PDB file of all heavy atoms in Angstrom:
ATOM      1  N   LEU A 143     193.261 -54.634  24.065  1.00  0.00           N
ATOM      2  CA  LEU A 143     192.211 -54.575  25.078  1.00  0.00           C
ATOM      3  C   LEU A 143     191.338 -55.832  25.055  1.00  0.00           C
ATOM      4  O   LEU A 143     190.944 -56.360  26.100  1.00  0.00           O
ATOM      5  CB  LEU A 143     191.348 -53.343  24.796  1.00  0.00           C
ATOM      6  CG  LEU A 143     190.295 -52.995  25.822  1.00  0.00           C
ATOM      7  CD1 LEU A 143     190.974 -52.387  27.036  1.00  0.00           C
ATOM      8  CD2 LEU A 143     189.293 -52.023  25.235  1.00  0.00           C
ATOM      9  N   ALA A 144     191.044 -56.317  23.853  1.00  0.00           N
ATOM     10  CA  ALA A 144     190.138 -57.463  23.733  1.00  0.00           C
ATOM     11  C   ALA A 144     190.868 -58.779  23.963  1.00  0.00           C
ATOM     12  O   ALA A 144     190.251 -59.784  24.307  1.00  0.00           O
ATOM     13  CB  ALA A 144     189.483 -57.461  22.348  1.00  0.00           C
ATOM     14  N   LEU A 145     192.180 -58.757  23.800  1.00  0.00           N
ATOM     15  CA  LEU A 145     192.967 -59.990  23.913  1.00  0.00           C
ATOM     16  C   LEU A 145     192.708 -60.766  25.214  1.00  0.00           C
ATOM     17  O   LEU A 145     192.385 -61.957  25.168  1.00  0.00           O
ATOM     18  CB  LEU A 145     194.461 -59.653  23.770  1.00  0.00           C
ATOM     19  CG  LEU A 145     195.398 -60.844  23.827  1.00  0.00           C
ATOM     20  CD1 LEU A 145     195.544 -61.472  22.450  1.00  0.00           C
ATOM     21  CD2 LEU A 145     196.764 -60.451  24.350  1.00  0.00           C
ATOM     22  N   PRO A 146     192.820 -60.110  26.389  1.00  0.00           N
ATOM     23  CA  PRO A 146     192.615 -60.879  27.627  1.00  0.00           C
ATOM     24  C   PRO A 146     191.234 -61.506  27.720  1.00  0.00           C
ATOM     25  O   PRO A 146     191.099 -62.630  28.195  1.00  0.00           O
ATOM     26  CB  PRO A 146     192.826 -59.845  28.737  1.00  0.00           C
ATOM     27  CG  PRO A 146     193.158 -58.569  28.105  1.00  0.00           C
ATOM     28  CD  PRO A 146     193.212 -58.718  26.646  1.00  0.00           C
ATOM     29  N   THR A 147     190.206 -60.779  27.249  1.00  0.00           N
ATOM     30  CA  THR A 147     188.853 -61.344  27.292  1.00  0.00           C
ATOM     31  C   THR A 147     188.819 -62.672  26.549  1.00  0.00           C
ATOM     32  O   THR A 147     188.305 -63.679  27.044  1.00  0.00           O
ATOM     33  CB  THR A 147     187.847 -60.375  26.621  1.00  0.00           C
ATOM     34  OG1 THR A 147     188.074 -59.067  27.121  1.00  0.00           O
ATOM     35  CG2 THR A 147     186.430 -60.803  26.883  1.00  0.00           C
ATOM     36  N   ILE A 148     189.367 -62.659  25.348  1.00  0.00           N
ATOM     37  CA  ILE A 148     189.333 -63.868  24.527  1.00  0.00           C
ATOM     38  C   ILE A 148     190.202 -64.956  25.148  1.00  0.00           C
ATOM     39  O   ILE A 148     189.807 -66.121  25.225  1.00  0.00           O
ATOM     40  CB  ILE A 148     189.805 -63.553  23.095  1.00  0.00           C
ATOM     41  CG1 ILE A 148     189.030 -62.363  22.540  1.00  0.00           C
ATOM     42  CG2 ILE A 148     189.614 -64.750  22.191  1.00  0.00           C
ATOM     43  CD1 ILE A 148     189.561 -61.851  21.239  1.00  0.00           C
ATOM     44  N   VAL A 149     191.401 -64.563  25.612  1.00  0.00           N
ATOM     45  CA  VAL A 149     192.310 -65.558  26.194  1.00  0.00           C
ATOM     46  C   VAL A 149     191.649 -66.243  27.387  1.00  0.00           C
ATOM     47  O   VAL A 149     191.672 -67.468  27.506  1.00  0.00           O
ATOM     48  CB  VAL A 149     193.639 -64.908  26.634  1.00  0.00           C
ATOM     49  CG1 VAL A 149     194.441 -65.879  27.485  1.00  0.00           C
ATOM     50  CG2 VAL A 149     194.452 -64.494  25.425  1.00  0.00           C
ATOM     51  N   LEU A 150     191.026 -65.449  28.266  1.00  0.00           N
ATOM     52  CA  LEU A 150     190.448 -66.040  29.471  1.00  0.00           C
ATOM     53  C   LEU A 150     189.292 -66.974  29.119  1.00  0.00           C
ATOM     54  O   LEU A 150     189.130 -68.035  29.724  1.00  0.00           O
ATOM     55  CB  LEU A 150     189.986 -64.944  30.434  1.00  0.00           C
ATOM     56  CG  LEU A 150     191.136 -64.108  31.013  1.00  0.00           C
ATOM     57  CD1 LEU A 150     190.633 -63.090  32.014  1.00  0.00           C
ATOM     58  CD2 LEU A 150     192.193 -64.997  31.648  1.00  0.00           C
ATOM     59  N   LEU A 151     188.508 -66.586  28.116  1.00  0.00           N
ATOM     60  CA  LEU A 151     187.408 -67.457  27.676  1.00  0.00           C
ATOM     61  C   LEU A 151     187.945 -68.780  27.137  1.00  0.00           C
ATOM     62  O   LEU A 151     187.470 -69.862  27.499  1.00  0.00           O
ATOM     63  CB  LEU A 151     186.603 -66.767  26.569  1.00  0.00           C
ATOM     64  CG  LEU A 151     185.525 -65.807  27.023  1.00  0.00           C
ATOM     65  CD1 LEU A 151     185.040 -64.977  25.844  1.00  0.00           C
ATOM     66  CD2 LEU A 151     184.378 -66.593  27.613  1.00  0.00           C
ATOM     67  N   LEU A 152     188.931 -68.683  26.260  1.00  0.00           N
ATOM     68  CA  LEU A 152     189.496 -69.892  25.654  1.00  0.00           C
ATOM     69  C   LEU A 152     190.199 -70.740  26.712  1.00  0.00           C
ATOM     70  O   LEU A 152     190.073 -71.971  26.722  1.00  0.00           O
ATOM     71  CB  LEU A 152     190.475 -69.521  24.540  1.00  0.00           C
ATOM     72  CG  LEU A 152     189.854 -68.925  23.280  1.00  0.00           C
ATOM     73  CD1 LEU A 152     190.938 -68.602  22.269  1.00  0.00           C
ATOM     74  CD2 LEU A 152     188.837 -69.866  22.678  1.00  0.00           C
ATOM     75  N   ASP A 153     190.917 -70.059  27.609  1.00  0.00           N
ATOM     76  CA  ASP A 153     191.642 -70.777  28.655  1.00  0.00           C
ATOM     77  C   ASP A 153     190.671 -71.603  29.498  1.00  0.00           C
ATOM     78  O   ASP A 153     190.909 -72.772  29.781  1.00  0.00           O
ATOM     79  CB  ASP A 153     192.392 -69.769  29.533  1.00  0.00           C
ATOM     80  CG  ASP A 153     193.026 -70.431  30.734  1.00  0.00           C
ATOM     81  OD1 ASP A 153     193.805 -71.370  30.524  1.00  0.00           O
ATOM     82  OD2 ASP A 153     192.748 -70.022  31.871  1.00  0.00           O
ATOM     83  N   ASN A 154     189.561 -70.972  29.831  1.00  0.00           N
ATOM     84  CA  ASN A 154     188.527 -71.649  30.599  1.00  0.00           C
ATOM     85  C   ASN A 154     188.047 -72.902  29.884  1.00  0.00           C
ATOM     86  O   ASN A 154     187.941 -73.991  30.442  1.00  0.00           O
ATOM     87  CB  ASN A 154     187.365 -70.660  30.749  1.00  0.00           C
ATOM     88  CG  ASN A 154     186.520 -70.991  31.936  1.00  0.00           C
ATOM     89  OD1 ASN A 154     186.137 -72.147  32.097  1.00  0.00           O
ATOM     90  ND2 ASN A 154     186.243 -70.017  32.772  1.00  0.00           N
ATOM     91  N   GLN A 155     187.767 -72.719  28.601  1.00  0.00           N
ATOM     92  CA  GLN A 155     187.277 -73.816  27.761  1.00  0.00           C
ATOM     93  C   GLN A 155     188.307 -74.947  27.686  1.00  0.00           C
ATOM     94  O   GLN A 155     187.985 -76.114  27.883  1.00  0.00           O
ATOM     95  CB  GLN A 155     187.021 -73.234  26.365  1.00  0.00           C
ATOM     96  CG  GLN A 155     186.769 -74.251  25.294  1.00  0.00           C
ATOM     97  CD  GLN A 155     185.316 -74.625  25.272  1.00  0.00           C
ATOM     98  OE1 GLN A 155     184.499 -73.962  25.873  1.00  0.00           O
ATOM     99  NE2 GLN A 155     184.997 -75.710  24.596  1.00  0.00           N
ATOM    100  N   PHE A 156     189.555 -74.567  27.421  1.00  0.00           N
ATOM    101  CA  PHE A 156     190.621 -75.574  27.289  1.00  0.00           C
ATOM    102  C   PHE A 156     190.817 -76.318  28.605  1.00  0.00           C
ATOM    103  O   PHE A 156     191.008 -77.526  28.613  1.00  0.00           O
ATOM    104  CB  PHE A 156     191.938 -74.909  26.874  1.00  0.00           C
ATOM    105  CG  PHE A 156     191.979 -74.485  25.434  1.00  0.00           C
ATOM    106  CD1 PHE A 156     190.853 -74.586  24.638  1.00  0.00           C
ATOM    107  CD2 PHE A 156     193.142 -73.988  24.869  1.00  0.00           C
ATOM    108  CE1 PHE A 156     190.881 -74.202  23.316  1.00  0.00           C
ATOM    109  CE2 PHE A 156     193.183 -73.609  23.538  1.00  0.00           C
ATOM    110  CZ  PHE A 156     192.054 -73.709  22.770  1.00  0.00           C
ATOM    111  N   GLN A 157     190.772 -75.565  29.709  1.00  0.00           N
ATOM    112  CA  GLN A 157     190.985 -76.195  31.009  1.00  0.00           C
ATOM    113  C   GLN A 157     189.938 -77.254  31.288  1.00  0.00           C
ATOM    114  O   GLN A 157     190.245 -78.353  31.733  1.00  0.00           O
ATOM    115  CB  GLN A 157     190.929 -75.136  32.103  1.00  0.00           C
ATOM    116  CG  GLN A 157     192.291 -74.795  32.653  1.00  0.00           C
ATOM    117  CD  GLN A 157     192.203 -73.725  33.700  1.00  0.00           C
ATOM    118  OE1 GLN A 157     191.184 -73.582  34.376  1.00  0.00           O
ATOM    119  NE2 GLN A 157     193.258 -72.960  33.824  1.00  0.00           N
ATOM    120  N   ARG A 158     188.699 -76.901  30.996  1.00  0.00           N
ATOM    121  CA  ARG A 158     187.605 -77.831  31.262  1.00  0.00           C
ATOM    122  C   ARG A 158     187.790 -79.100  30.429  1.00  0.00           C
ATOM    123  O   ARG A 158     187.642 -80.212  30.902  1.00  0.00           O
ATOM    124  CB  ARG A 158     186.267 -77.177  30.924  1.00  0.00           C
ATOM    125  CG  ARG A 158     185.212 -77.522  31.917  1.00  0.00           C
ATOM    126  CD  ARG A 158     184.008 -76.585  31.853  1.00  0.00           C
ATOM    127  NE  ARG A 158     184.122 -75.516  30.902  1.00  0.00           N
ATOM    128  CZ  ARG A 158     183.198 -75.245  29.990  1.00  0.00           C
ATOM    129  NH1 ARG A 158     182.142 -76.005  29.879  1.00  0.00           N
ATOM    130  NH2 ARG A 158     183.340 -74.227  29.179  1.00  0.00           N
ATOM    131  N   LEU A 159     188.145 -78.908  29.180  1.00  0.00           N
ATOM    132  CA  LEU A 159     188.316 -80.051  28.293  1.00  0.00           C
ATOM    133  C   LEU A 159     189.527 -80.881  28.707  1.00  0.00           C
ATOM    134  O   LEU A 159     189.473 -82.113  28.732  1.00  0.00           O
ATOM    135  CB  LEU A 159     188.485 -79.535  26.866  1.00  0.00           C
ATOM    136  CG  LEU A 159     188.201 -80.539  25.778  1.00  0.00           C
ATOM    137  CD1 LEU A 159     186.759 -80.972  25.839  1.00  0.00           C
ATOM    138  CD2 LEU A 159     188.500 -79.935  24.428  1.00  0.00           C
ATOM    139  N   GLU A 160     190.599 -80.185  29.056  1.00  0.00           N
ATOM    140  CA  GLU A 160     191.834 -80.912  29.369  1.00  0.00           C
ATOM    141  C   GLU A 160     191.716 -81.729  30.643  1.00  0.00           C
ATOM    142  O   GLU A 160     192.311 -82.801  30.745  1.00  0.00           O
ATOM    143  CB  GLU A 160     193.003 -79.935  29.468  1.00  0.00           C
ATOM    144  CG  GLU A 160     193.530 -79.579  28.103  1.00  0.00           C
ATOM    145  CD  GLU A 160     194.825 -78.814  28.159  1.00  0.00           C
ATOM    146  OE1 GLU A 160     195.135 -78.274  29.240  1.00  0.00           O
ATOM    147  OE2 GLU A 160     195.508 -78.748  27.132  1.00  0.00           O
ATOM    148  N   SER A 161     190.941 -81.215  31.611  1.00  0.00           N
ATOM    149  CA  SER A 161     190.788 -81.996  32.832  1.00  0.00           C
ATOM    150  C   SER A 161     190.121 -83.330  32.490  1.00  0.00           C
ATOM    151  O   SER A 161     190.276 -84.310  33.197  1.00  0.00           O
ATOM    152  CB  SER A 161     189.950 -81.220  33.845  1.00  0.00           C
ATOM    153  OG  SER A 161     188.629 -81.108  33.401  1.00  0.00           O
TER     154      SER A 161
END
Side-chain angles (χ1 to χ4, degrees):
Chain A
L143 187 75
L145 182 86
T147 313
I148 308 171
V149 168
L150 294 183
L151 276 167
L152 290 180
D153 173 56
N154 203 311
Q155 169 86 13
F156 286 6
Q157 255 178 28
R158 220 163 358 129
L159 200 63
E160 279 190 342
S161 68

